[in-house]
Amino acid sequence: MPEKPKSLKIWWETENGFGEKYPCIQGTGYGFKESGVGQAQVEKRDLLLKLIGISGEFPVEMAGTAVGSKTYAAYLATQLKKEGYISVRKKDGIRGYTLKAKGRRELLCRYPGDVSLYLEGLSETNHVKSEPQKRLRLHRMSMAWIFFYRMGLRMFLTEKPGFPPVFGKGSKNPAYYGAAEFKRNSDRIKGSRACGLLLCEQQIFVVYHSMDRRMKWAKKMERSMRSFAEGVMMEQGSVYGADAVMIGNTMDLMPELLESDGGLKGELFQVDDVFEHYYYFSMEDVSRVQFRLVTDRDAGRRFRDFLCQMLEKRADKEYALPTGYDENGNPVYFCYELELRDLMRIRQEMDWTGDGKVVCLDFQTDALRTYLGKGVEILAVSSEKVMRYIESG
């Protein structure tokens, strides 16, 4: 464990032996491993083909993220097109890969357990879409798949327990379930904008992907989605409520979501009371550290307790927004989880009091400064150090 710093600033101003760069990693659950090294070409080819199959239409620009290299992704896509497995749809400024009949046959033959749900019957991913909004919905769901794949989660049906999983049987590590895996069981949630459900140890998150703009949002429908998710948890014996994960292409979208008033017709997303917590993540790989702190209760609690040692005094009220106070009596707010409702309350409180310090991860600094104001004092913790600290436990 890093040595306890003497003041609130020291730990993120010095290296303390945690200055190494992290490689691009992936894995199962939280068991990350290096990716793109020593893996056979056929594995990457099949991965890309499977992702296109379960997505219905896979955004061209995400192929490089999926296989770890834009150049290699372009090569694989070219080969798959030449061999007649996939095609490219270019319409309305939207470019996506779709399966051809030959690709569908190969996947159903070689990976029926992983793809049959998506390639057979009346599933949403089994029919060619032409309307831009429907195609973009498939792209959002595809990008959610990629996000969780890059976070190291189990995604394909043969890699994880069936839905819903039974706690205590392989549920220690998180798993992501796409909308097709649970929406077919309930008509009342088919209109939800949710891309999927993230199940952690006795914890559930409803997942949304907003891409680079505010998504459409119907409170009544999303309340039904939350009720469905919490019902799943109650059946498994959990008393925790469902929270929301909001994913955007970059950190730049977060201030826009926080400032949103729902649009002229009130049909766009704004932070409301449908969920108690909304956690924002960007598609960038640096979100890996934040993701671990939010979804791994033990890691998040341990890191928070460590940071609290740097405070002169802890907040004495149960629901106080500041976590504590520094040596000068200034309130200190821990914002690295990027919980949107808390961020709105923190800005309001800082506007009233005129002081306060914010602790966040290094890649979150610009977005928080945009939202909280250029004058806010931000203490940015190195993401690399935090990941090393988490893994050391």
Side-chain angles (χ1 to χ4, degrees), residues 103-355:
R104 183 188 302 269
R105 288 195 299 269
E106 174 163 330
L107 286 177
L108 288 172
C109 178
R110 297 181 57 197
Y111 303 104
D114 286 332
V115 304
S116 59
L117 175 65
Y118 303 92
L119 299 181
E120 295 180 339
L122 298 176
S123 64
E124 185 179 9
T125 52
N126 192 30
H127 298 277
V128 177
K129 304 294 187 299
S130 58
E131 299 90 336
Q133 291 303 317
K134 291 186 177 180
R135 293 179 62 205
L136 285 174
R137 171 162 174 74
L138 294 180
H139 284 220
R140 285 198 299 271
M141 292 191 291
S142 301
M143 295 172 80
W145 283 115
I146 292 299
F147 176 82
F148 291 111
Y149 175 74
R150 298 298 293 165
M151 294 300 108
L153 270 62
R154 300 167 292 168
M155 296 192 330
F156 296 113
L157 292 171
T158 56
E159 298 175 345
K160 61 192 178 186
F163 183 85
V166 178
F167 292 127
K169 295 184 178 180
S171 60
K172 175 65 177 178
N173 291 326
Y176 177 67
Y177 295 84
E181 297 176 55
F182 60 84
K183 280 192 174 182
R184 67 185 189 279
N185 296 324
S186 177
D187 290 336
R188 65 189 177 96
I189 61 170
K190 286 186 177 180
S192 169
R193 310 296 291 183
C195 294
L197 294 175
L198 171 64
L199 271 71
C200 306
E201 187 178 16
Q202 297 194 27
Q203 191 174 10
I204 192 166
F205 299 89
V206 182
V207 177
Y208 302 89
H209 202 302
S210 200
M211 299 181 76
D212 60 355
R213 68 201 69 181
R214 293 175 295 170
M215 63 189 298
K216 286 190 175 182
W217 188 258
K219 292 183 65 173
K220 183 177 180 180
M221 183 57 64
E222 303 312 332
R223 286 189 192 279
S224 295
M225 184 69 238
R226 175 182 174 175
S227 297
F228 171 79
E230 291 180 343
V232 169
M233 298 299 285
M234 290 179 63
E235 290 177 359
Q236 305 304 311
S238 173
V239 296
Y240 294 108
D243 290 324
V245 164
M246 304 295 299
I247 305 173
N249 288 357
T250 67
M251 287 299 303
D252 294 338
L253 180 66
M254 188 185 75
E256 182 178 344
L257 296 183
L258 285 163
E259 298 280 8
S260 174
D261 60 0
L264 293 176
K265 298 181 179 180
E267 60 181 11
L268 299 178
F269 174 79
Q270 61 178 320
V271 181
D272 53 29
D273 60 355
V274 172
F275 293 93
E276 184 175 354
H277 299 107
Y278 291 88
Y279 296 95
Y280 182 83
F281 296 91
S282 76
M283 283 290 294
E284 300 154 304
D285 269 1
V286 286
S287 292
R288 185 185 316 278
V289 182
Q290 177 197 349
F291 181 80
R292 181 70 178 271
L293 292 172
V294 171
T295 60
D296 186 336
R297 288 179 179 272
D298 292 337
R301 186 181 302 111
R302 189 164 63 89
F303 178 64
R304 184 182 182 87
D305 289 343
F306 171 72
L307 285 184
C308 284
Q309 296 178 61
M310 307 173 192
L311 302 173
E312 187 68 23
K313 178 186 176 182
R314 292 285 297 270
D316 51 8
K317 295 181 180 179
E318 183 178 358
Y319 296 105
L321 283 175
T323 309
Y325 303 86
D326 66 8
E327 60 273 16
N328 298 317
N330 297 313
V332 179
Y333 302 91
F334 288 179
C335 297
Y336 52 82
E337 290 186 342
L338 298 186
E339 201 288 299
L340 299 184
R341 295 185 66 183
D342 275 352
L343 290 178
M344 295 179 71
R345 288 190 285 259
I346 287 170
R347 188 174 79 165
Q348 186 178 46
E349 184 166 290
M350 292 178 73
D351 287 343
W352 286 341
T353 62
D355 59 8

Side-chain angles (χ1 to χ4, degrees), residues 28-58:
T28 299
Y30 292 129
F32 298 121
K33 63 181 180 180
E34 292 188 17
S35 67
V37 180
Q39 295 192 25
Q41 175 179 330
V42 66
E43 293 179 348
K44 294 291 187 180
R45 170 194 178 276
D46 288 0
L47 170 65
L48 183 58
L49 197 60
K50 287 168 70 176
L51 287 172
I52 295 171
I54 66 175
S55 298
E57 180 173 329
F58 187 86

Side-chain angles (χ1 to χ4, degrees), residues 13-27:
E13 289 183 349
T14 59
E15 288 298 327
N16 281 339
F18 292 97
E20 299 178 5
K21 294 291 183 182
Y22 276 80
C24 180
I25 52 181
Q26 67 185 41

